[in-house]
Amino acid sequence: MKRGIPLLLVCVAAGCEGESSSKPEVAEASRITWLQNQQAESGIDFLHVTGHDGVHLLPEAVGSGVGVVDLDEDGLLDVVMIQTLPGSGTRVYRNLGEGRFESMMSLGAEDTIGMGVATGDYDGDGDLDLYLTNLGRNLLYRNDGGGTLTDVTAAAGVGEPGFGAAATFFDADGDPHPDLVVVNYVDWTPELERACRNAQGDPDYCAPTDYGRPTVDVLYRNNGDGTFTDVTAASGLPSAPGTGLGVIASDFDGDGREDLFVANDTMPDRLWHNLGNFQFEDVALVQGCAVDNSGTAKAGMGVTAADIDFDGDLDLMVCNLSGETDSVYRNEGTHFRDITANSGLAVVPRGFTRFGLGWVDMNNDGLLDLFQANGRVGQMPRRYSEDPYAEPDLLLRGLPNGRFETVETSWAAATGRGAAFADLDNDGGLDVVVNNRDAVPHVLMNVHPDRGHWLLLDVREAAGGPALGATVTMRVGDRAIRRDVRTGWSYLSANDPRVHVGLGDIDLAREVTVTWPDGTRLSLGDLDVDRIHLVRPPVDQSEAGAGDAAD
């Protein structure tokens, strides 16, 4: 259905979905298998369940995400699959190595609907903790070591009871205690549900605009003693309510403070410039990333950021609904410029509804590729399977000219939502886990037969936890590479905290430097490739040389 149809005939996530005319054309030179779905062999037997019984409730269309996190500190990333249906249990799977997993525990509450996951070492004990967003009370699980998790939500003061979507731990104030932002979607209850219809006239999900109830995102300051303080009221965030689904924290303007970009559904996106002292100002409109270059506010689901053009600053990407292009914003230093058309991403992805996404180097050639997890939010003719919401995921290869071309769409169609990116088997190739609505996940292992050299940098804080907000720079051939340490991006998901860099046929990374959020810098010199390097901050500023390295 096209825009302009009466408001009642709509679907969630920014209006109405347009039907693609054909399957995407795959590049002839790339007809090889990059990712192989090994869900059945992996042992991840999770089944996502919405509980849909004929009444189209908004939360069913939105969730859920997936997280990857080393809960037991054995060097292998475990997997957290978020469950939508209350009482059915979010599941944690222990990584046994070589792409094999076993069920570890169930999490969640009987009275909440699961949405997303964030990871960070909130208590400074050296291991990553879990924060689960829900429709209902959010939950914080403290990692007590060895994979033991304890619900400390009440004691920590972070049990926000709204419609939580994405969340991320980040450094708002330059201290070693990670703060937390929670993006809320719609002020919704089952009693507010409406009867909407799709293009075929059948009952279907409503758009967030149908409810007219945008919400305020929540900002928590980490007090450094295991508790948080809600500082939302004075932060500036209440000045611009929204329908947030995606969030990413990064220093977009190079002033040394982490900013927040929030992807809103059918409303302008927000770029919250960090003014210091937990004060934020929305500069998205003046910076050129609130709407696309036609002035349209689109569906705003997943979000990712990376330096795709090797100029040292972070570019942005927001994925959207079928019938809408994605939004690719190049960071020009003083503002962002919409380069979607020039990137080659204005055509193929438009035929799908995209949620989880990431700019990641899948073939280790030194150029960032693009993976997108797809799944409709409104019923359409059954093009790909008997599931009217199912679509194939997309993998597009990054080219030297800054454009992207489709290389793979061969996995079974499903209704994809959250996607987490990680090297699950520590072989130097990035893998993907996709949480599919009302289905088993995709566990996509990287089997590219001709991957290049690689590095994984495991950058830690002094206490031992991942150094969220740290920046890694290096020279690879004639390129200057920048990568940031973060877990919160994609859609409702938490990703590998380690920095992955593909090097192609170059066998040495030169002038590797790590800068921590407090400004501490460590020069590592030249590093050997095809290894995992563990890097800790220097004891004092005069310390020089490489950090610890481990295979």
Side-chain angles (χ1 to χ4, degrees):
M1 184 175 68
K2 307 299 183 184
R3 290 185 181 276
I5 298 295
L7 185 61
L8 184 63
L9 304 182
V10 297
C11 37
V12 73
C16 306
E17 293 179 286
E19 184 179 353
S20 59
S21 60
S22 62
K23 294 185 179 181
E25 182 178 351
V26 177
E28 185 66 36
S30 301
R31 293 185 183 276
I32 59 174
T33 300
W34 291 44
L35 298 170
Q36 185 178 78
N37 186 10
Q38 298 181 8
Q39 178 271 325
E41 302 92 328
S42 72
I44 299 179
D45 57 356
F46 176 80
L47 176 64
H48 180 270
V49 181
T50 61
H52 177 68
D53 62 358
V55 178
H56 292 81
L57 302 177
L58 181 64
E60 299 171 358
V62 178
S64 294
V66 55
V68 289
V69 53
D70 185 0
L71 290 173
D72 49 8
E73 282 293 299
D74 64 353
L76 298 169
L77 292 165
D78 310 304
V79 173
V80 183
M81 302 298 307
I82 303 298
Q83 183 63 273
T84 293
L85 185 67
S88 56
T90 285
R91 294 274 297 282
V92 180
Y93 291 85
R94 176 182 286 112
N95 191 334
L96 303 176
E98 298 181 347
R100 300 296 181 265
F101 296 81
E102 67 178 7
S103 182
M104 188 174 176
M105 68 183 79
S106 294
L107 301 172
E110 295 288 335
D111 59 345
T112 61
I113 294 174
M115 288 292 144
V117 55
T119 58
D121 180 15
Y122 88 95
D123 55 356
D125 66 353
D127 48 31
L128 282 170
D129 310 292
L130 295 180
Y131 187 76
L132 307 185
T133 61
N134 302 294
L135 173 58
R137 185 174 60 100
N138 297 333
L139 300 170
L140 176 63
Y141 287 93
R142 184 184 66 214
N143 188 343
D144 292 323
T148 300
L149 300 177
T150 301
D151 184 346
V152 294
T153 309
V158 290
E160 160 70 18
F163 194 154
T168 189
F169 288 95
F170 76 113
D171 180 23
D173 56 353
D175 69 10
H177 313 298
D179 309 296
L180 175 66
V181 64
V182 181
V183 171
N184 287 316
Y185 185 40
V186 176
D187 182 10
W188 180 92
T189 64
E191 293 74 25
L192 296 172
E193 194 52 84
R194 303 184 58 184
C196 296
R197 295 183 179 275
N198 59 25
Q200 290 74 44
D202 299 321
D204 217 328
Y205 296 103
C206 297
T209 48
D210 283 355
Y211 306 97
R213 300 172 72 94
T215 59
V216 172
D217 303 329
V218 178
L219 179 64
Y220 293 104
R221 181 185 66 213
N222 191 328
N223 299 320
D225 59 1
T227 68
F228 291 80
T229 298
D230 187 338
V231 295
T232 306
S235 70
L237 299 187
S239 66
T243 48
L245 286 175
V247 66
I248 191 167
S250 290
D251 180 6
F252 291 106
D253 54 6
D255 66 355
R257 293 187 294 264
E258 285 201 276
D259 311 300
L260 295 170
F261 182 86
V262 176
N264 284 315
D265 187 355
T266 71
M267 295 182 65
D269 298 328
R270 312 293 182 195
L271 177 58
W272 293 105
H273 173 50
N274 189 338
L275 303 173
N277 196 30
F278 290 92
Q279 301 293 305
F280 291 80
E281 176 187 15
D282 179 23
V283 297
L285 188 60
V286 297
Q287 290 289 314
C289 57
V291 294
D292 68 10
N293 58 5
S294 69
T296 301
K298 294 186 289 197
M301 280 95 85
V303 59
T304 190
D307 180 12
I308 63 171
D309 53 1
F310 309 106
D311 66 351
D313 51 27
L314 293 171
D315 310 298
L316 267 169
M317 181 172 178
V318 185
C319 61
N320 299 300
L321 190 75
S322 175
E324 299 175 337
T325 64
D326 291 322
S327 295
V328 181
Y329 298 110
R330 185 167 69 195
N331 192 335
E332 303 286 4
T334 58
H335 64 281
F336 288 88
R337 186 160 66 91
D338 188 332
I339 61 166
T340 308
N342 294 337
S343 69
L345 294 173
V347 179
V348 172
R350 186 172 182 157
F352 302 86
T353 293
R354 294 83 68 195
F355 281 89
L357 83 164
W359 272 326
V360 286
D361 189 351
M362 286 291 182
N363 60 347
N364 293 351
D365 67 348
L367 300 171
L368 293 175
D369 310 303
L370 175 65
F371 179 92
Q372 295 183 305
N374 302 321
R376 298 164 175 166
V377 292
Q379 296 183 59
M380 296 291 289
R382 290 163 173 78
R383 177 178 300 276
Y384 302 107
S385 82
E386 288 304 306
D387 181 351
Y389 299 102
E391 294 179 324
D393 300 330
L394 287 175
L395 176 61
L396 300 102
R397 181 176 64 177
L399 302 175
N401 62 3
R403 296 177 64 84
F404 294 83
E405 67 176 6
T406 305
V407 295
E408 194 163 3
T409 58
S410 58
W411 316 288
T415 309
R417 291 298 183 256
F421 300 83
D423 186 356
L424 294 174
D425 50 3
N426 288 339
D427 68 349
L430 286 177
D431 313 299
V432 190
V433 183
V434 180
N435 200 350
N436 295 313
R437 173 189 156 164
D438 285 321
V440 296
H442 286 158
V443 181
L444 302 176
M445 301 302 293
N446 193 324
V447 295
H448 194 290
D450 192 27
R451 292 199 305 258
H453 292 299
W454 56 275
L455 277 179
L456 273 175
L457 289 174
D458 189 354
V459 182
R460 302 295 184 102
E461 293 284 7
L468 301 182
T471 300
V472 176
T473 60
M474 67 185 72
R475 295 205 66 84
V476 177
D478 60 355
R479 294 192 182 114
I481 303 290
R482 171 186 172 169
R483 298 284 189 271
D484 287 20
V485 180
R486 70 168 76 90
T487 60
W489 46 282
S490 186
Y491 177 77
L492 308 182
S493 297
N495 303 277
D496 194 337
R498 301 172 299 180
V499 167
H500 172 270
V501 181
L503 296 96
D505 59 0
I506 296 172
D507 59 4
L508 192 68
R510 299 189 180 278
E511 303 173 25
V512 181
T513 300
V514 178
T515 305
W516 278 261
D518 65 359
T520 299
R521 299 183 72 221
L522 180 62
S523 174
L524 303 175
D526 300 342
L527 292 183
D528 293 332
V529 300
D530 301 335
R531 296 186 64 186
I532 301 172
H533 294 268
L534 175 64
V535 184
R536 299 183 185 274
V539 175
D540 59 63
Q541 292 287 351
S542 64
E543 183 178 334
D548 298 328
D551 292 330

